[in-house]
Amino acid sequence: MGRGSQQTVPGEPDSGKAKGVYTWEEVQSHNSRNDQWLVIDRKVYNITQWAKRHPGGFRVIGHYAGEDATEAFTAFHPDSKFVQKFLKPLLLGELAATEPSQDRDKNAAIVQDFKTLRAQVEKQGLFQGQPLFFFLHLGHIVLLEALGWMLVSMWGTGWIPTLLCSVILATAQAQAGWLQHDFGHLSVFKKSTWNHAVHKFVIGHLKGASANWWNHRHFQHHAKPNIFSKDPDINTLDTFVLGQTIPVEYGIKKIKHMPYNHQHQYFFLLGPPLLIPVFYNFNIMHTMITRRYWVDLAWAMTYYLRYFYCYAPLYGVFGSVALFFFVRFLESHWFVWVTQMNHIPMDIDHEKHKDWLTIQLQSTCNIEQSFFNDWFSGHLNFQIEHHFLFLFSLKLVPHDAVRALCEKHGIPYQEKTLWRGLADIVT
């Protein structure tokens, strides 16, 4: 129990006027699912009960139980003043004056330099969104959707028009995926409510998916990228073994769910073709129904109603279903290759409790900038700056400043060609 604090019940914030003084050892002991503390700017908070009501989901905040969450808190909450009212009732006290601001072996110099760089970026206005660009992006997606339908309605449903329509619709779906990502990060408008509203429209009506499902998965990925049991993007359900550590562990334990020595070959059969049309489609629907995301489900239904209204008269019900899955099949290849080229070739391991800059740089890499690369990847070729600073300012991304910071602290800043990034996924 912290010095000067009142007796508290695990899972409940300290309601007394006197606040405690705690050591890192005490904070780190509260890291179980039913007893969670964390530190933000040297203040100690009990988040045990709040985690269940956390808008970003209980998992993402729980991943920082027993840790310093200052850098993650700053990255995920652009309007820090607004969320302070939620923090106040959770306050237990603060770290003892003799305790360092960083827990474990985190580098204080790196943390301070990151804070300085972030302040400079904010002063330059690089966190301000560019609504016109994003609405032009939205416009080109709607035009692609219309073009796909017009093509088969005017030229018929033969093999060639159907194939061309499928490619156009898959392109629209892939681009809508990149666009919803930007709104999901609350990066376009100043008001979060506006971002949330457009996000539900794009991911729901244009893609038939769930905003809440995406938020709860994706923010975990950003909070703990490439960390087993915390990043859902590397949860391969025993289909693949990733990184350097897990294959060794599977070998020692003689776990043989799959012929892992051939995973670089069966990846082409299971990864890109099946992720979206099989796993994501099932997982999204299951999540919306079991967790009662009725608003998301209503938005998703508008997508399916629109789709079948447009294509059932042309292909019939079964033909429309076949077209739907073929489009998802094409989109899935695009999605998997783009999203994995920045992460799968990088370090994948268990939790090491590193500082924000180190964990983000070791788990991400950039792809060279070009007009095609920017469009093809939805500007996720700037993955380092996106993960490190949550930036979406495109060519305004401060590459040189980030490179200089990495060089100063001996952290590799990796940038590859598009072809090298794709090849590294399986090599």
Side-chain angles (χ1 to χ4, degrees):
M1 182 56 72
R3 298 183 297 277
S5 66
Q6 297 179 345
Q7 184 72 26
T8 60
V9 178
E12 296 182 0
D14 183 2
S15 59
K17 294 183 178 180
K19 300 300 181 182
V21 178
Y22 301 93
T23 65
W24 276 117
E25 183 179 1
E26 289 172 306
V27 173
Q28 290 163 10
S29 67
H30 296 272
N31 65 349
S32 66
R33 183 165 183 171
N34 297 317
D35 183 16
Q36 300 180 344
W37 293 8
L38 54 71
V39 174
I40 300 173
D41 290 326
R42 297 188 62 85
K43 301 293 185 182
V44 181
Y45 299 93
N46 184 339
I47 62 163
T48 309
Q49 295 301 321
W50 167 247
K52 301 174 184 177
R53 294 177 285 125
H54 182 233
F58 69 90
R59 286 192 176 90
V60 66
I61 193 171
H63 291 335
Y64 278 91
E67 299 182 28
D68 176 53
T70 304
E71 294 170 306
F73 175 83
T74 303
F76 287 120
H77 303 92
D79 188 356
S80 59
K81 292 182 180 179
F82 172 76
V83 297
Q84 286 297 328
K85 65 180 181 180
F86 299 101
L87 285 177
K88 186 174 294 186
L90 311 178
L91 181 64
L92 290 177
E94 60 184 15
L95 292 174
T98 54
E99 292 291 302
S101 295
Q102 285 74 46
D103 58 325
R104 297 179 172 87
D105 296 324
K106 294 179 181 177
N107 190 316
I110 294 179
V111 173
Q112 181 57 47
D113 285 348
F114 163 70
K115 186 176 181 180
T116 301
L117 175 61
R118 184 179 177 84
Q120 293 173 350
V121 170
E122 186 172 9
K123 186 177 181 180
Q124 293 170 6
L126 299 187
F127 287 121
Q128 296 178 4
Q130 300 172 317
L132 177 61
F133 167 82
F134 291 106
F135 278 105
L136 289 174
H137 193 175
L138 174 61
H140 105 288
I141 293 168
V142 174
L143 286 174
L144 287 170
E145 290 273 0
L147 179 62
W149 176 80
M150 290 175 60
L151 191 151
V152 291
S153 64
M154 295 175 63
W155 290 1
T157 56
W159 285 106
I160 293 178
T162 297
L163 182 60
L164 290 175
C165 175
S166 300
V167 172
I168 292 171
L169 293 181
T171 301
Q173 286 297 302
Q175 292 298 320
W178 310 144
L179 181 62
Q180 69 81 23
H181 171 269
D182 299 339
F183 283 104
H185 271 289
L186 313 181
S187 61
V188 181
F189 301 113
K190 291 183 179 180
K191 292 187 176 181
S192 296
T193 53
W194 294 3
N195 285 298
H196 284 303
V198 181
H199 183 220
K200 286 186 179 295
F201 168 78
V202 176
I203 196 172
H205 182 68
L206 295 184
K207 292 192 63 63
S210 165
N212 282 316
W213 170 86
W214 183 87
N215 286 336
H216 292 173
R217 284 183 60 93
H218 193 68
F219 287 126
Q220 288 184 76
H221 163 68
H222 272 278
K224 297 289 185 177
N226 282 15
I227 294 178
F228 284 103
S229 75
K230 294 186 177 182
D231 181 358
D233 285 4
I234 58 171
N235 177 15
T236 61
L237 303 176
D238 291 323
T239 305
F240 303 99
V241 286
L242 307 175
Q244 301 297 322
T245 302
I246 297 300
V248 174
E249 292 184 0
Y250 270 49
I252 294 174
K253 297 176 182 178
K254 297 182 179 181
I255 300 175
K256 298 179 180 180
H257 297 292
M258 296 287 287
Y260 297 116
N261 55 315
H262 295 293
Q263 68 175 11
H264 61 292
Q265 296 170 324
Y266 68 72
F267 168 79
F268 297 95
L269 299 175
L270 299 182
L274 302 182
L275 182 66
I276 289 180
V278 177
F279 179 71
Y280 274 5
N281 267 338
F282 171 80
N283 190 247
I284 290 170
M285 284 298 174
H286 180 265
T287 300
M288 287 192 292
I289 294 171
T290 57
R291 297 191 181 180
R292 301 180 180 180
Y293 296 153
W294 304 130
V295 173
D296 284 4
L297 184 61
W299 274 112
M301 288 302 101
T302 66
Y303 164 80
Y304 287 103
L305 289 172
R306 173 175 59 85
Y307 173 82
F308 284 105
Y309 177 81
C310 290
Y311 292 98
L314 299 171
Y315 290 95
V317 175
F318 292 108
S320 299
V321 171
L323 177 65
F324 169 83
F325 279 104
F326 184 59
V327 170
R328 294 298 195 203
F329 169 82
L330 295 177
E331 177 201 0
S332 188
H333 281 80
W334 190 334
F335 174 82
V336 169
W337 287 102
V338 168
T339 56
Q340 299 312 305
M341 67 184 179
N342 300 108
H343 295 292
I344 290 298
M346 308 304 291
D347 289 346
I348 300 176
D349 209 337
H350 295 292
E351 176 68 81
K352 300 296 183 183
H353 301 289
K354 297 179 180 179
D355 57 83
W356 184 262
L357 173 63
T358 301
I359 188 177
Q360 302 299 338
L361 268 293
Q362 289 184 349
S363 60
T364 58
C365 67
N366 278 1
I367 301 299
E368 290 179 348
Q369 191 272 328
S370 72
F371 179 82
F372 175 78
N373 287 358
D374 294 353
W375 174 83
F376 183 71
S377 66
H379 297 91
L380 293 180
N381 48 328
F382 302 137
Q383 194 71 209
I384 290 175
E385 286 76 15
H386 169 51
H387 261 260
F388 178 34
L389 291 164
F390 277 27
L391 280 177
F392 293 86
S393 297
L394 312 178
K395 294 181 181 179
L396 299 178
V397 170
H399 299 290
D400 293 340
V402 176
R403 276 198 185 96
L405 179 57
C406 293
E407 290 178 1
K408 176 181 178 181
H409 295 286
I411 302 174
Y413 180 104
Q414 294 193 41
E415 185 172 83
K416 306 175 181 179
T417 65
L418 177 62
W419 296 115
R420 184 70 265 165
L422 296 176
D424 284 350
I425 294 175
V426 292
T427 56

